[in-house]
PDB file of all heavy atoms in Angstrom:
ATOM      1  N   SER X 574      95.957  25.525   8.338  1.00  0.00           N
ATOM      2  CA  SER X 574      97.370  25.960   8.267  1.00  0.00           C
ATOM      3  C   SER X 574      97.699  26.952   9.358  1.00  0.00           C
ATOM      4  O   SER X 574      98.836  27.165   9.743  1.00  0.00           O
ATOM      5  CB  SER X 574      97.699  26.532   6.907  1.00  0.00           C
ATOM      6  OG  SER X 574      96.860  27.632   6.614  1.00  0.00           O
ATOM      7  N   TRP X 575      96.720  27.664   9.915  1.00  0.00           N
ATOM      8  CA  TRP X 575      96.939  28.673  10.955  1.00  0.00           C
ATOM      9  C   TRP X 575      96.456  28.221  12.323  1.00  0.00           C
ATOM     10  O   TRP X 575      96.806  28.876  13.333  1.00  0.00           O
ATOM     11  CB  TRP X 575      96.274  30.013  10.581  1.00  0.00           C
ATOM     12  CG  TRP X 575      94.785  29.983  10.489  1.00  0.00           C
ATOM     13  CD1 TRP X 575      93.875  30.184  11.510  1.00  0.00           C
ATOM     14  CD2 TRP X 575      94.064  29.666   9.302  1.00  0.00           C
ATOM     15  NE1 TRP X 575      92.617  30.040  11.038  1.00  0.00           N
ATOM     16  CE2 TRP X 575      92.654  29.729   9.664  1.00  0.00           C
ATOM     17  CE3 TRP X 575      94.355  29.340   7.954  1.00  0.00           C
ATOM     18  CZ2 TRP X 575      91.621  29.472   8.810  1.00  0.00           C
ATOM     19  CZ3 TRP X 575      93.333  29.093   7.115  1.00  0.00           C
ATOM     20  CH2 TRP X 575      91.987  29.159   7.520  1.00  0.00           C
ATOM     21  N   ILE X 576      95.712  27.143  12.400  1.00  0.00           N
ATOM     22  CA  ILE X 576      95.359  26.556  13.701  1.00  0.00           C
ATOM     23  C   ILE X 576      95.814  25.118  13.722  1.00  0.00           C
ATOM     24  O   ILE X 576      95.347  24.269  12.940  1.00  0.00           O
ATOM     25  CB  ILE X 576      93.812  26.604  13.908  1.00  0.00           C
ATOM     26  CG1 ILE X 576      93.364  28.082  13.960  1.00  0.00           C
ATOM     27  CG2 ILE X 576      93.434  25.933  15.204  1.00  0.00           C
ATOM     28  CD1 ILE X 576      91.823  28.243  14.124  1.00  0.00           C
ATOM     29  N   GLU X 577      96.766  24.828  14.617  1.00  0.00           N
ATOM     30  CA  GLU X 577      97.432  23.518  14.647  1.00  0.00           C
ATOM     31  C   GLU X 577      96.574  22.368  15.076  1.00  0.00           C
ATOM     32  O   GLU X 577      96.714  21.247  14.603  1.00  0.00           O
ATOM     33  CB  GLU X 577      98.714  23.590  15.462  1.00  0.00           C
ATOM     34  CG  GLU X 577      99.789  24.565  14.907  1.00  0.00           C
ATOM     35  CD  GLU X 577     101.056  24.508  15.763  1.00  0.00           C
ATOM     36  OE1 GLU X 577     101.046  23.807  16.822  1.00  0.00           O
ATOM     37  OE2 GLU X 577     101.980  25.179  15.394  1.00  0.00           O
ATOM     38  N   LYS X 578      95.657  22.645  16.020  1.00  0.00           N
ATOM     39  CA  LYS X 578      94.858  21.553  16.540  1.00  0.00           C
ATOM     40  C   LYS X 578      93.462  22.048  16.850  1.00  0.00           C
ATOM     41  O   LYS X 578      93.255  23.178  17.154  1.00  0.00           O
ATOM     42  CB  LYS X 578      95.465  20.937  17.770  1.00  0.00           C
ATOM     43  CG  LYS X 578      95.630  21.923  18.939  1.00  0.00           C
ATOM     44  CD  LYS X 578      96.304  21.186  20.113  1.00  0.00           C
ATOM     45  CE  LYS X 578      96.442  22.133  21.372  1.00  0.00           C
ATOM     46  NZ  LYS X 578      97.037  21.469  22.484  1.00  0.00           N
ATOM     47  N   PRO X 579      92.472  21.161  16.796  1.00  0.00           N
ATOM     48  CA  PRO X 579      91.113  21.523  17.083  1.00  0.00           C
ATOM     49  C   PRO X 579      90.968  21.961  18.554  1.00  0.00           C
ATOM     50  O   PRO X 579      91.661  21.431  19.463  1.00  0.00           O
ATOM     51  CB  PRO X 579      90.312  20.258  16.813  1.00  0.00           C
ATOM     52  CG  PRO X 579      91.161  19.457  15.881  1.00  0.00           C
ATOM     53  CD  PRO X 579      92.562  19.798  16.320  1.00  0.00           C
ATOM     54  N   VAL X 580      90.107  22.933  18.792  1.00  0.00           N
ATOM     55  CA  VAL X 580      89.775  23.406  20.158  1.00  0.00           C
ATOM     56  C   VAL X 580      88.280  23.318  20.365  1.00  0.00           C
ATOM     57  O   VAL X 580      87.560  23.813  19.464  1.00  0.00           O
ATOM     58  CB  VAL X 580      90.310  24.824  20.385  1.00  0.00           C
ATOM     59  CG1 VAL X 580      89.933  25.354  21.788  1.00  0.00           C
ATOM     60  CG2 VAL X 580      91.827  24.919  20.169  1.00  0.00           C
ATOM     61  N   SER X 581      87.853  22.791  21.432  1.00  0.00           N
ATOM     62  CA  SER X 581      86.421  22.778  21.731  1.00  0.00           C
ATOM     63  C   SER X 581      85.957  23.991  22.508  1.00  0.00           C
ATOM     64  O   SER X 581      86.774  24.515  23.335  1.00  0.00           O
ATOM     65  CB  SER X 581      86.049  21.493  22.569  1.00  0.00           C
ATOM     66  OG  SER X 581      86.297  20.315  21.757  1.00  0.00           O
ATOM     67  N   PRO X 582      84.727  24.465  22.313  1.00  0.00           N
ATOM     68  CA  PRO X 582      84.259  25.629  23.086  1.00  0.00           C
ATOM     69  C   PRO X 582      84.174  25.296  24.555  1.00  0.00           C
ATOM     70  O   PRO X 582      83.935  24.143  24.948  1.00  0.00           O
ATOM     71  CB  PRO X 582      82.881  25.791  22.476  1.00  0.00           C
ATOM     72  CG  PRO X 582      82.872  25.189  21.153  1.00  0.00           C
ATOM     73  CD  PRO X 582      83.766  23.963  21.288  1.00  0.00           C
ATOM     74  N   TYR X 583      84.407  26.343  25.354  1.00  0.00           N
ATOM     75  CA  TYR X 583      84.135  26.255  26.799  1.00  0.00           C
ATOM     76  C   TYR X 583      82.898  27.025  27.146  1.00  0.00           C
ATOM     77  O   TYR X 583      82.804  28.250  26.818  1.00  0.00           O
ATOM     78  CB  TYR X 583      85.346  26.798  27.571  1.00  0.00           C
ATOM     79  CG  TYR X 583      84.999  26.927  29.092  1.00  0.00           C
ATOM     80  CD1 TYR X 583      85.028  25.801  29.922  1.00  0.00           C
ATOM     81  CD2 TYR X 583      84.564  28.113  29.592  1.00  0.00           C
ATOM     82  CE1 TYR X 583      84.653  25.925  31.258  1.00  0.00           C
ATOM     83  CE2 TYR X 583      84.208  28.279  30.929  1.00  0.00           C
ATOM     84  CZ  TYR X 583      84.252  27.141  31.784  1.00  0.00           C
ATOM     85  OH  TYR X 583      83.890  27.209  33.067  1.00  0.00           O
ATOM     86  N   ILE X 584      81.959  26.408  27.752  1.00  0.00           N
ATOM     87  CA  ILE X 584      80.676  27.030  28.075  1.00  0.00           C
ATOM     88  C   ILE X 584      80.445  26.785  29.602  1.00  0.00           C
ATOM     89  O   ILE X 584      80.384  25.656  30.061  1.00  0.00           O
ATOM     90  CB  ILE X 584      79.541  26.387  27.286  1.00  0.00           C
ATOM     91  CG1 ILE X 584      79.797  26.636  25.767  1.00  0.00           C
ATOM     92  CG2 ILE X 584      78.219  27.052  27.713  1.00  0.00           C
ATOM     93  CD1 ILE X 584      78.875  25.807  24.900  1.00  0.00           C
ATOM     94  N   HIS X 585      80.346  27.884  30.304  1.00  0.00           N
ATOM     95  CA  HIS X 585      80.139  27.756  31.764  1.00  0.00           C
ATOM     96  C   HIS X 585      78.852  27.087  32.062  1.00  0.00           C
ATOM     97  O   HIS X 585      77.854  27.218  31.339  1.00  0.00           O
ATOM     98  CB  HIS X 585      80.217  29.125  32.439  1.00  0.00           C
ATOM     99  CG  HIS X 585      80.291  29.073  33.931  1.00  0.00           C
ATOM    100  ND1 HIS X 585      79.191  28.956  34.744  1.00  0.00           N
ATOM    101  CD2 HIS X 585      81.380  29.087  34.737  1.00  0.00           C
ATOM    102  CE1 HIS X 585      79.610  28.882  36.028  1.00  0.00           C
ATOM    103  NE2 HIS X 585      80.919  28.987  36.047  1.00  0.00           N
ATOM    104  N   LYS X 586      78.806  26.313  33.169  1.00  0.00           N
ATOM    105  CA  LYS X 586      77.622  25.439  33.451  1.00  0.00           C
ATOM    106  C   LYS X 586      76.406  26.295  33.770  1.00  0.00           C
ATOM    107  O   LYS X 586      75.320  25.755  33.677  1.00  0.00           O
ATOM    108  CB  LYS X 586      77.981  24.529  34.634  1.00  0.00           C
ATOM    109  CG  LYS X 586      78.253  25.251  35.967  1.00  0.00           C
ATOM    110  CD  LYS X 586      78.611  24.289  37.049  1.00  0.00           C
ATOM    111  CE  LYS X 586      78.874  25.035  38.358  1.00  0.00           C
ATOM    112  NZ  LYS X 586      79.190  24.081  39.462  1.00  0.00           N
ATOM    113  N   THR X 587      76.541  27.544  34.073  1.00  0.00           N
ATOM    114  CA  THR X 587      75.421  28.410  34.345  1.00  0.00           C
ATOM    115  C   THR X 587      74.856  29.120  33.114  1.00  0.00           C
ATOM    116  O   THR X 587      73.896  29.876  33.216  1.00  0.00           O
ATOM    117  CB  THR X 587      75.744  29.490  35.412  1.00  0.00           C
ATOM    118  OG1 THR X 587      76.828  30.282  34.890  1.00  0.00           O
ATOM    119  CG2 THR X 587      76.155  28.873  36.742  1.00  0.00           C
ATOM    120  N   SER X 588      75.448  28.853  31.961  1.00  0.00           N
ATOM    121  CA  SER X 588      75.056  29.515  30.748  1.00  0.00           C
ATOM    122  C   SER X 588      74.207  28.604  29.877  1.00  0.00           C
ATOM    123  O   SER X 588      74.340  27.375  29.928  1.00  0.00           O
ATOM    124  CB  SER X 588      76.275  30.002  29.960  1.00  0.00           C
ATOM    125  OG  SER X 588      76.901  31.061  30.602  1.00  0.00           O
ATOM    126  N   ASN X 589      73.343  29.229  29.069  1.00  0.00           N
ATOM    127  CA  ASN X 589      72.451  28.480  28.176  1.00  0.00           C
ATOM    128  C   ASN X 589      72.833  28.687  26.727  1.00  0.00           C
ATOM    129  O   ASN X 589      72.887  29.817  26.275  1.00  0.00           O
ATOM    130  CB  ASN X 589      70.987  28.902  28.415  1.00  0.00           C
ATOM    131  CG  ASN X 589      70.034  28.293  27.441  1.00  0.00           C
ATOM    132  OD1 ASN X 589      69.869  27.138  27.329  1.00  0.00           O
ATOM    133  ND2 ASN X 589      69.483  29.157  26.554  1.00  0.00           N
ATOM    134  N   VAL X 590      73.010  27.598  26.007  1.00  0.00           N
ATOM    135  CA  VAL X 590      73.188  27.642  24.538  1.00  0.00           C
ATOM    136  C   VAL X 590      72.022  26.895  23.937  1.00  0.00           C
ATOM    137  O   VAL X 590      71.889  25.717  24.109  1.00  0.00           O
ATOM    138  CB  VAL X 590      74.543  27.038  24.104  1.00  0.00           C
ATOM    139  CG1 VAL X 590      74.585  27.076  22.577  1.00  0.00           C
ATOM    140  CG2 VAL X 590      75.712  27.832  24.684  1.00  0.00           C
ATOM    141  N   ASP X 591      71.184  27.615  23.208  1.00  0.00           N
ATOM    142  CA  ASP X 591      70.032  26.987  22.640  1.00  0.00           C
ATOM    143  C   ASP X 591      70.420  25.856  21.669  1.00  0.00           C
ATOM    144  O   ASP X 591      71.442  26.012  20.994  1.00  0.00           O
ATOM    145  CB  ASP X 591      69.174  28.024  21.872  1.00  0.00           C
ATOM    146  CG  ASP X 591      67.847  27.476  21.420  1.00  0.00           C
ATOM    147  OD1 ASP X 591      66.855  27.545  22.160  1.00  0.00           O
ATOM    148  OD2 ASP X 591      67.786  26.893  20.266  1.00  0.00           O
ATOM    149  N   PRO X 592      69.664  24.777  21.600  1.00  0.00           N
ATOM    150  CA  PRO X 592      70.000  23.668  20.698  1.00  0.00           C
ATOM    151  C   PRO X 592      70.050  24.092  19.231  1.00  0.00           C
ATOM    152  O   PRO X 592      70.638  23.426  18.411  1.00  0.00           O
ATOM    153  CB  PRO X 592      68.861  22.647  20.938  1.00  0.00           C
ATOM    154  CG  PRO X 592      68.363  22.948  22.276  1.00  0.00           C
ATOM    155  CD  PRO X 592      68.491  24.433  22.475  1.00  0.00           C
ATOM    156  N   MET X 593      69.423  25.209  18.855  1.00  0.00           N
ATOM    157  CA  MET X 593      69.479  25.693  17.469  1.00  0.00           C
ATOM    158  C   MET X 593      70.572  26.702  17.243  1.00  0.00           C
ATOM    159  O   MET X 593      70.652  27.261  16.098  1.00  0.00           O
ATOM    160  CB  MET X 593      68.082  26.276  17.106  1.00  0.00           C
ATOM    161  CG  MET X 593      66.987  25.261  17.078  1.00  0.00           C
ATOM    162  SD  MET X 593      65.365  26.013  16.673  1.00  0.00           S
ATOM    163  CE  MET X 593      65.649  26.556  15.030  1.00  0.00           C
ATOM    164  N   ALA X 594      71.401  26.975  18.285  1.00  0.00           N
ATOM    165  CA  ALA X 594      72.570  27.856  18.050  1.00  0.00           C
ATOM    166  C   ALA X 594      73.774  26.995  17.678  1.00  0.00           C
ATOM    167  O   ALA X 594      73.830  25.780  17.969  1.00  0.00           O
ATOM    168  CB  ALA X 594      72.813  28.630  19.334  1.00  0.00           C
ATOM    169  N   THR X 595      74.798  27.631  17.081  1.00  0.00           N
ATOM    170  CA  THR X 595      76.023  26.936  16.672  1.00  0.00           C
ATOM    171  C   THR X 595      77.210  27.595  17.322  1.00  0.00           C
ATOM    172  O   THR X 595      77.348  28.825  17.184  1.00  0.00           O
ATOM    173  CB  THR X 595      76.168  26.907  15.177  1.00  0.00           C
ATOM    174  OG1 THR X 595      75.029  26.274  14.578  1.00  0.00           O
ATOM    175  CG2 THR X 595      77.440  26.186  14.749  1.00  0.00           C
ATOM    176  N   VAL X 596      78.042  26.810  18.029  1.00  0.00           N
ATOM    177  CA  VAL X 596      79.239  27.333  18.665  1.00  0.00           C
ATOM    178  C   VAL X 596      80.418  26.443  18.277  1.00  0.00           C
ATOM    179  O   VAL X 596      80.367  25.237  18.551  1.00  0.00           O
ATOM    180  CB  VAL X 596      79.117  27.389  20.179  1.00  0.00           C
ATOM    181  CG1 VAL X 596      80.372  27.995  20.805  1.00  0.00           C
ATOM    182  CG2 VAL X 596      77.858  28.179  20.618  1.00  0.00           C
ATOM    183  N   ILE X 597      81.413  27.041  17.610  1.00  0.00           N
ATOM    184  CA  ILE X 597      82.497  26.223  17.041  1.00  0.00           C
ATOM    185  C   ILE X 597      83.839  26.751  17.478  1.00  0.00           C
ATOM    186  O   ILE X 597      84.080  27.999  17.416  1.00  0.00           O
ATOM    187  CB  ILE X 597      82.442  26.246  15.462  1.00  0.00           C
ATOM    188  CG1 ILE X 597      81.112  25.663  14.989  1.00  0.00           C
ATOM    189  CG2 ILE X 597      83.619  25.475  14.892  1.00  0.00           C
ATOM    190  CD1 ILE X 597      80.895  25.851  13.484  1.00  0.00           C
ATOM    191  N   GLY X 598      84.700  25.867  17.919  1.00  0.00           N
ATOM    192  CA  GLY X 598      86.094  26.183  18.073  1.00  0.00           C
ATOM    193  C   GLY X 598      86.459  26.957  19.340  1.00  0.00           C
ATOM    194  O   GLY X 598      85.882  26.758  20.392  1.00  0.00           O
ATOM    195  N   ASP X 599      87.428  27.846  19.203  1.00  0.00           N
ATOM    196  CA  ASP X 599      88.028  28.561  20.321  1.00  0.00           C
ATOM    197  C   ASP X 599      87.134  29.675  20.852  1.00  0.00           C
ATOM    198  O   ASP X 599      87.373  30.880  20.617  1.00  0.00           O
ATOM    199  CB  ASP X 599      89.437  29.123  19.920  1.00  0.00           C
ATOM    200  CG  ASP X 599      90.218  29.629  21.056  1.00  0.00           C
ATOM    201  OD1 ASP X 599      89.707  29.611  22.242  1.00  0.00           O
ATOM    202  OD2 ASP X 599      91.354  30.031  20.876  1.00  0.00           O
ATOM    203  N   VAL X 600      86.100  29.250  21.503  1.00  0.00           N
ATOM    204  CA  VAL X 600      85.065  30.190  22.043  1.00  0.00           C
ATOM    205  C   VAL X 600      84.947  29.909  23.561  1.00  0.00           C
ATOM    206  O   VAL X 600      84.856  28.768  23.995  1.00  0.00           O
ATOM    207  CB  VAL X 600      83.689  29.953  21.387  1.00  0.00           C
ATOM    208  CG1 VAL X 600      82.661  30.870  21.995  1.00  0.00           C
ATOM    209  CG2 VAL X 600      83.809  30.136  19.875  1.00  0.00           C
ATOM    210  N   THR X 601      85.014  30.996  24.344  1.00  0.00           N
ATOM    211  CA  THR X 601      84.779  30.935  25.761  1.00  0.00           C
ATOM    212  C   THR X 601      83.541  31.700  26.146  1.00  0.00           C
ATOM    213  O   THR X 601      83.446  32.908  25.818  1.00  0.00           O
ATOM    214  CB  THR X 601      85.989  31.483  26.539  1.00  0.00           C
ATOM    215  OG1 THR X 601      87.154  30.675  26.228  1.00  0.00           O
ATOM    216  CG2 THR X 601      85.730  31.422  28.046  1.00  0.00           C
ATOM    217  N   ILE X 602      82.602  31.055  26.781  1.00  0.00           N
ATOM    218  CA  ILE X 602      81.342  31.685  27.154  1.00  0.00           C
ATOM    219  C   ILE X 602      81.307  31.689  28.722  1.00  0.00           C
ATOM    220  O   ILE X 602      81.345  30.609  29.352  1.00  0.00           O
ATOM    221  CB  ILE X 602      80.112  30.904  26.601  1.00  0.00           C
ATOM    222  CG1 ILE X 602      80.154  31.015  25.065  1.00  0.00           C
ATOM    223  CG2 ILE X 602      78.823  31.472  27.123  1.00  0.00           C
ATOM    224  CD1 ILE X 602      79.122  30.190  24.368  1.00  0.00           C
ATOM    225  N   GLY X 603      81.240  32.907  29.272  1.00  0.00           N
ATOM    226  CA  GLY X 603      81.267  33.001  30.711  1.00  0.00           C
ATOM    227  C   GLY X 603      80.024  32.640  31.438  1.00  0.00           C
ATOM    228  O   GLY X 603      79.198  31.883  30.937  1.00  0.00           O
ATOM    229  N   GLU X 604      79.816  33.162  32.648  1.00  0.00           N
ATOM    230  CA  GLU X 604      78.676  32.799  33.485  1.00  0.00           C
ATOM    231  C   GLU X 604      77.384  33.503  33.130  1.00  0.00           C
ATOM    232  O   GLU X 604      77.404  34.656  32.753  1.00  0.00           O
ATOM    233  CB  GLU X 604      79.058  33.094  35.005  1.00  0.00           C
ATOM    234  CG  GLU X 604      80.306  32.361  35.484  1.00  0.00           C
ATOM    235  CD  GLU X 604      80.713  32.797  36.846  1.00  0.00           C
ATOM    236  OE1 GLU X 604      79.842  33.370  37.576  1.00  0.00           O
ATOM    237  OE2 GLU X 604      81.886  32.617  37.244  1.00  0.00           O
ATOM    238  N   ARG X 605      76.315  32.789  33.264  1.00  0.00           N
ATOM    239  CA  ARG X 605      74.956  33.306  33.126  1.00  0.00           C
ATOM    240  C   ARG X 605      74.759  34.038  31.775  1.00  0.00           C
ATOM    241  O   ARG X 605      74.149  35.091  31.668  1.00  0.00           O
ATOM    242  CB  ARG X 605      74.626  34.264  34.279  1.00  0.00           C
ATOM    243  CG  ARG X 605      74.586  33.540  35.681  1.00  0.00           C
ATOM    244  CD  ARG X 605      74.420  34.499  36.787  1.00  0.00           C
ATOM    245  NE  ARG X 605      75.544  35.472  36.834  1.00  0.00           N
ATOM    246  CZ  ARG X 605      76.745  35.195  37.406  1.00  0.00           C
ATOM    247  NH1 ARG X 605      76.891  34.011  38.030  1.00  0.00           N
ATOM    248  NH2 ARG X 605      77.669  36.077  37.442  1.00  0.00           N
ATOM    249  N   VAL X 606      75.293  33.412  30.728  1.00  0.00           N
ATOM    250  CA  VAL X 606      75.161  33.963  29.359  1.00  0.00           C
ATOM    251  C   VAL X 606      74.033  33.222  28.660  1.00  0.00           C
ATOM    252  O   VAL X 606      73.820  31.995  28.880  1.00  0.00           O
ATOM    253  CB  VAL X 606      76.446  33.772  28.594  1.00  0.00           C
ATOM    254  CG1 VAL X 606      76.289  34.184  27.135  1.00  0.00           C
ATOM    255  CG2 VAL X 606      77.587  34.620  29.192  1.00  0.00           C
ATOM    256  N   ASN X 607      73.227  33.959  27.917  1.00  0.00           N
ATOM    257  CA  ASN X 607      72.157  33.338  27.116  1.00  0.00           C
ATOM    258  C   ASN X 607      72.485  33.436  25.655  1.00  0.00           C
ATOM    259  O   ASN X 607      72.672  34.541  25.122  1.00  0.00           O
ATOM    260  CB  ASN X 607      70.812  33.995  27.431  1.00  0.00           C
ATOM    261  CG  ASN X 607      69.636  33.189  26.879  1.00  0.00           C
ATOM    262  OD1 ASN X 607      69.632  31.984  26.887  1.00  0.00           O
ATOM    263  ND2 ASN X 607      68.668  33.879  26.307  1.00  0.00           N
ATOM    264  N   ILE X 608      72.539  32.288  24.943  1.00  0.00           N
ATOM    265  CA  ILE X 608      72.817  32.257  23.526  1.00  0.00           C
ATOM    266  C   ILE X 608      71.521  31.752  22.889  1.00  0.00           C
ATOM    267  O   ILE X 608      71.089  30.593  23.085  1.00  0.00           O
ATOM    268  CB  ILE X 608      73.958  31.279  23.149  1.00  0.00           C
ATOM    269  CG1 ILE X 608      75.213  31.622  23.953  1.00  0.00           C
ATOM    270  CG2 ILE X 608      74.255  31.374  21.664  1.00  0.00           C
ATOM    271  CD1 ILE X 608      75.836  32.945  23.706  1.00  0.00           C
ATOM    272  N   ALA X 609      70.857  32.593  22.062  1.00  0.00           N
ATOM    273  CA  ALA X 609      69.509  32.339  21.587  1.00  0.00           C
ATOM    274  C   ALA X 609      69.559  31.516  20.301  1.00  0.00           C
ATOM    275  O   ALA X 609      70.563  31.283  19.651  1.00  0.00           O
ATOM    276  CB  ALA X 609      68.774  33.662  21.336  1.00  0.00           C
ATOM    277  N   PRO X 610      68.319  31.025  19.826  1.00  0.00           N
ATOM    278  CA  PRO X 610      68.274  30.195  18.662  1.00  0.00           C
ATOM    279  C   PRO X 610      68.814  30.923  17.456  1.00  0.00           C
ATOM    280  O   PRO X 610      68.599  32.133  17.283  1.00  0.00           O
ATOM    281  CB  PRO X 610      66.744  29.964  18.518  1.00  0.00           C
ATOM    282  CG  PRO X 610      66.193  30.061  19.893  1.00  0.00           C
ATOM    283  CD  PRO X 610      67.028  31.121  20.529  1.00  0.00           C
ATOM    284  N   GLY X 611      69.523  30.202  16.560  1.00  0.00           N
ATOM    285  CA  GLY X 611      70.032  30.714  15.306  1.00  0.00           C
ATOM    286  C   GLY X 611      71.301  31.489  15.433  1.00  0.00           C
ATOM    287  O   GLY X 611      71.848  31.855  14.372  1.00  0.00           O
ATOM    288  N   ALA X 612      71.798  31.744  16.647  1.00  0.00           N
ATOM    289  CA  ALA X 612      73.102  32.417  16.755  1.00  0.00           C
ATOM    290  C   ALA X 612      74.203  31.497  16.248  1.00  0.00           C
ATOM    291  O   ALA X 612      74.169  30.268  16.437  1.00  0.00           O
ATOM    292  CB  ALA X 612      73.345  32.804  18.202  1.00  0.00           C
ATOM    293  N   VAL X 613      75.185  32.141  15.608  1.00  0.00           N
ATOM    294  CA  VAL X 613      76.366  31.375  15.123  1.00  0.00           C
ATOM    295  C   VAL X 613      77.629  32.071  15.649  1.00  0.00           C
ATOM    296  O   VAL X 613      77.884  33.265  15.369  1.00  0.00           O
ATOM    297  CB  VAL X 613      76.421  31.325  13.580  1.00  0.00           C
ATOM    298  CG1 VAL X 613      77.714  30.605  13.110  1.00  0.00           C
ATOM    299  CG2 VAL X 613      75.189  30.621  13.046  1.00  0.00           C
ATOM    300  N   ILE X 614      78.439  31.313  16.420  1.00  0.00           N
ATOM    301  CA  ILE X 614      79.661  31.851  16.976  1.00  0.00           C
ATOM    302  C   ILE X 614      80.774  30.953  16.493  1.00  0.00           C
ATOM    303  O   ILE X 614      80.879  29.815  16.976  1.00  0.00           O
ATOM    304  CB  ILE X 614      79.604  31.917  18.542  1.00  0.00           C
ATOM    305  CG1 ILE X 614      78.308  32.700  18.951  1.00  0.00           C
ATOM    306  CG2 ILE X 614      80.837  32.520  19.119  1.00  0.00           C
ATOM    307  CD1 ILE X 614      78.034  32.581  20.433  1.00  0.00           C
ATOM    308  N   ARG X 615      81.635  31.469  15.626  1.00  0.00           N
ATOM    309  CA  ARG X 615      82.658  30.559  14.956  1.00  0.00           C
ATOM    310  C   ARG X 615      84.046  31.009  15.303  1.00  0.00           C
ATOM    311  O   ARG X 615      84.573  31.939  14.737  1.00  0.00           O
ATOM    312  CB  ARG X 615      82.456  30.593  13.467  1.00  0.00           C
ATOM    313  CG  ARG X 615      81.262  29.838  12.945  1.00  0.00           C
ATOM    314  CD  ARG X 615      81.479  29.360  11.517  1.00  0.00           C
ATOM    315  NE  ARG X 615      81.495  30.445  10.569  1.00  0.00           N
ATOM    316  CZ  ARG X 615      82.459  30.692   9.684  1.00  0.00           C
ATOM    317  NH1 ARG X 615      83.530  29.902   9.647  1.00  0.00           N
ATOM    318  NH2 ARG X 615      82.373  31.718   8.840  1.00  0.00           N
ATOM    319  N   GLY X 616      84.686  30.258  16.187  1.00  0.00           N
ATOM    320  CA  GLY X 616      86.096  30.496  16.535  1.00  0.00           C
ATOM    321  C   GLY X 616      86.962  29.507  15.711  1.00  0.00           C
ATOM    322  O   GLY X 616      87.668  28.748  16.297  1.00  0.00           O
ATOM    323  N   ASP X 617      86.875  29.628  14.382  1.00  0.00           N
ATOM    324  CA  ASP X 617      87.583  28.730  13.528  1.00  0.00           C
ATOM    325  C   ASP X 617      88.536  29.408  12.557  1.00  0.00           C
ATOM    326  O   ASP X 617      89.304  28.776  11.834  1.00  0.00           O
ATOM    327  CB  ASP X 617      86.634  27.798  12.755  1.00  0.00           C
ATOM    328  CG  ASP X 617      85.685  28.604  11.852  1.00  0.00           C
ATOM    329  OD1 ASP X 617      85.711  29.866  11.858  1.00  0.00           O
ATOM    330  OD2 ASP X 617      84.847  27.994  11.167  1.00  0.00           O
TER     331      ASP X 617
END
C-alpha cells in the first residue's frame, strides 16, 4: 500500500554480493563494496 511498484536493487559492477547474502528492493550499492555471507539488506 505504500510502495506502488517493485524496485530491483542496483549493484555496481565492481561490487561483490556474496551468494549467501540477501538484497531486496530499493537498494543502491556503490562501487567496490563488499557484502558478506548472511547479510540482509531489505529495501521493502
Side-chain angles (χ1 to χ4, degrees):
S574 60
W575 63 90
I576 297 179
E577 293 183 357
K578 61 180 181 179
V580 178
S581 294
Y583 169 80
I584 301 166
H585 193 272
K586 64 182 181 180
T587 60
S588 290
N589 171 65
V590 176
D591 188 90
M593 294 179 65
T595 301
V596 183
I597 300 172
D599 192 355
V600 177
T601 298
I602 296 174
E604 300 174 20
R605 297 173 297 278
V606 173
N607 191 40
I608 309 294
V613 176
I614 306 170
R615 285 205 293 126
D617 59 358

